[in-house]
Amino acid sequence: MNHNASYVRTEMLEAKDPPIGEKGAVKWIRENLFSSWLNSILTIVSLYVIYWVLAHITPWTVGGIWNAESLSQCREIRDSIYADGHEVACWAVISDRWHQLLFGFYPSSLYWRPILALVIFGAAIAPILFDTVSRKLLILTAVAPFAAYWLLWGGTIWGPIVAALGFVIGWAILTKAGPTLGTLLATILAIVVPLLYWLFLAGPISGALGSALPIGIESIPSDRFGGFMLAIVIGVTGIVLSLPLGILLALGRQSDLFIINKCSVVFIEVIRGVPLIVWLFTASLLLNYFLPPEVEFDLMLRVIIMVTLFSSAYIAEVVRGGLAALPRGQYEGADSLGLNYWQSMQLIILPQALKISIPGIVSSFIGLFKDTTLVVFIGLLDPIGLSNAIRADAAWNGVYWELFIFIGLCFFIFCFSMSRYSMWLERKLHTGHR
């Protein structure tokens, strides 16, 4: 073959950069904002709406007043700065009452206790949320709920210790008596016996130990809780407790055992069929009638119980959807390996079902955290209730937007964080079809 012909290339041309319109930000803008005449019009209209909103909100927000002792003083400062009566935000109400919005009426000298409880909770939940964290912290995970309760409410140290003993009793029954009594009976006893222990024995034992060895810190009643501390305590406790309970209810609803199946179905349908606000009123007014006369739960603990039961019913349906989405071959594969029911659920079925259910579970958790604002209707001072109390003060009567923007921003931070973690976990586990 003759390589001297004029149409035969003897050397490669140097690579050239793509045109400006085919790379970088220009390419992204052309493909995503101006890909067609309709998208171009929508982009221009959207930019104008964003400009109009920012032009009206930014001066009110950025030019706000942070140092004042009352709304009238805010207006005096505003009038001295803006002669034309320009409206600006009075952020001084946040500067003056931020501690109340966050901690309610908790004693200011003891703010370190809820802060320390939050730090302990963050360290305790880290090994559950992230697999790169040392598994040794799981010991702190087991201790954290009781330590956080003691730090928040105070009192004798024996209360949390005696309560923790109930879980030890349930674990001992499940592990020691399981091979003898059978898995099902041992599981039922591991639930019933600790409940009876907490109802009838934990209180007297804790009282006796407290009298003999009075070790503890200052006790804080539940009516001093408020603000975002109250929302976090109710929301986090409901989230942590409702997930395992919801999984058990989902398994119970799919069980072949008639009594377990029907009890799970009735519980789920009854709880889901009634609004949360009704259950909160039930917790506030009626729950004590169903308990022994000597047993008393304060209002906040009753609300936590009811919120947990309400959330668990929704979690159960989300998890049941994940279980139903698995092919029948997964169950048959577990049977072919000779695994019993609990082994197959733990090792094969539930990991896959929970991966599928991640978006629904996190959505339920976000909804639960936002629904904590409903406790204002039964007399608990959540952030919304405290905003009403602050506005009832003559000094800040007439302040609205500043308080609600601050409250909404705090809720957004919590909910957005849960949403981003959910998306990260889905990517990590490769959930979904490709």
Side-chain angles (χ1 to χ4, degrees), residues 261-297:
N261 177 275
K262 298 308 176 185
C263 288
S264 300
V265 169
V266 170
F267 177 87
I268 293 172
E269 297 302 332
V270 170
I271 293 293
R272 291 201 311 154
V274 179
L276 177 58
I277 187 64
V278 175
W279 290 121
L280 292 178
F281 278 113
T282 301
S284 174
L285 303 174
L286 302 177
L287 190 59
N288 270 348
Y289 291 104
F290 298 96
L291 299 174
E294 65 276 6
V295 176
E296 291 186 3
F297 288 154

Side-chain angles (χ1 to χ4, degrees), residues 243 247 315 318-319 322-323 326 345 349-361 425 429 431:
L243 180 59
I247 294 174
I315 295 296
V318 173
V319 175
L323 293 172
L326 291 181
M345 288 296 163
I349 305 302
L350 278 180
Q352 299 181 76
L354 292 178
K355 283 170 58 178
I356 297 172
S357 306
I358 286 174
I361 291 174
L425 188 60
L429 299 177
T431 303

Side-chain angles (χ1 to χ4, degrees), residues 376-405:
V376 68
F377 294 107
I378 58 173
L380 295 180
L381 292 180
D382 73 314
I384 302 297
L386 277 174
S387 70
N388 296 332
I390 292 172
R391 288 188 291 108
D393 189 345
W396 299 111
N397 188 10
V399 172
Y400 292 95
W401 285 105
E402 294 84 349
L403 289 171
F404 292 132
I405 288 175

Side-chain angles (χ1 to χ4, degrees), residues 38-55:
L38 179 59
N39 287 346
S40 300
I41 294 175
L42 293 176
T43 298
I44 294 173
V45 172
S46 300
L47 290 175
Y48 174 76
V49 171
I50 293 173
Y51 165 77
W52 184 86
V53 172
L54 292 178

Side-chain angles (χ1 to χ4, degrees), residues 96-407:
D96 186 53
R97 298 298 182 92
W98 66 268
H99 58 283
Q100 204 170 36
L101 289 169
L102 295 181
F103 298 100
F105 298 103
Y106 209 85
S108 58
S109 60
L110 301 178
Y111 282 168
W112 64 270
R113 282 165 50 173
I115 294 174
L116 179 58
L118 184 61
V119 172
I120 292 175
F121 172 76
I125 202 173
I128 299 176
L129 299 181
F130 305 101
D131 57 1
T132 56
V133 179
S134 174
R135 301 290 97 181
K136 295 180 180 179
L137 282 177
L138 289 174
I139 299 176
L140 179 61
T141 304
V143 176
F146 308 100
Y149 174 88
W150 182 61
L151 285 172
L152 290 173
W153 275 273
T156 175
I157 197 175
W158 299 111
I161 293 177
V162 172
L165 183 60
F167 291 96
V168 176
I169 293 173
W171 175 82
I173 293 174
L174 190 61
T175 56
K176 303 300 181 181
T180 304
L181 301 177
T183 304
L184 179 59
L185 182 57
T187 303
I188 295 175
L189 290 177
I191 296 174
V192 174
V193 173
L195 287 176
L196 296 176
Y197 164 79
W198 287 322
L199 286 174
F200 299 104
L201 296 179
I205 293 175
S206 175
L209 291 174
S211 301
L213 296 172
I215 304 174
I217 55 179
E218 181 182 350
S219 179
I220 306 297
S222 294
D223 57 9
R224 304 296 297 274
F225 285 54
F228 279 97
M229 186 178 70
L230 176 68
I232 292 173
V233 170
I234 295 176
V236 169
T237 305
I239 288 171
V240 171
L241 296 179
S242 65
L243 180 59
L245 183 56
I247 294 174
L248 291 177
L249 287 170
L251 296 178
R253 184 157 190 168
Q254 288 199 328
S255 175
D256 295 329
L257 298 176
F258 179 82
I259 295 179
I260 293 180
N261 177 275
K262 298 308 176 185
C263 288
S264 300
V265 169
V266 170
F267 177 87
I268 293 172
E269 297 302 332
V270 170
I271 293 293
R272 291 201 311 154
V274 179
L276 177 58
I277 187 64
V278 175
W279 290 121
L280 292 178
F281 278 113
T282 301
S284 174
L285 303 174
L286 302 177
L287 190 59
N288 270 348
Y289 291 104
F290 298 96
L291 299 174
E294 65 276 6
V295 176
E296 291 186 3
F297 288 154
D298 65 26
L299 179 58
M300 186 172 172
L301 292 180
R302 282 180 272 159
V303 168
I304 289 175
I305 293 173
M306 197 57 69
V307 167
T308 300
L309 297 178
F310 185 84
S311 177
S312 66
Y314 282 86
I315 295 296
E317 288 300 281
V318 173
V319 175
R320 188 173 69 90
L323 293 172
L326 291 181
R328 184 63 188 172
Q330 297 295 319
Y331 296 87
E332 295 173 349
D335 294 336
S336 68
L337 293 175
L339 302 178
N340 61 33
Y341 177 80
W342 293 110
Q343 289 174 334
S344 65
M345 288 296 163
Q346 178 183 356
L347 301 176
I348 296 179
I349 305 302
L350 278 180
Q352 299 181 76
L354 292 178
K355 283 170 58 178
I356 297 172
S357 306
I358 286 174
I361 291 174
V362 175
S363 295
S364 298
F365 288 164
I366 291 175
L368 170 64
F369 185 72
K370 292 187 295 184
D371 285 343
T372 56
T373 55
L374 294 175
V375 300
V376 68
F377 294 107
I378 58 173
L380 295 180
L381 292 180
D382 73 314
I384 302 297
L386 277 174
S387 70
N388 296 332
I390 292 172
R391 288 188 291 108
D393 189 345
W396 299 111
N397 188 10
V399 172
Y400 292 95
W401 285 105
E402 294 84 349
L403 289 171
F404 292 132
I405 288 175
F406 177 77
I407 293 170

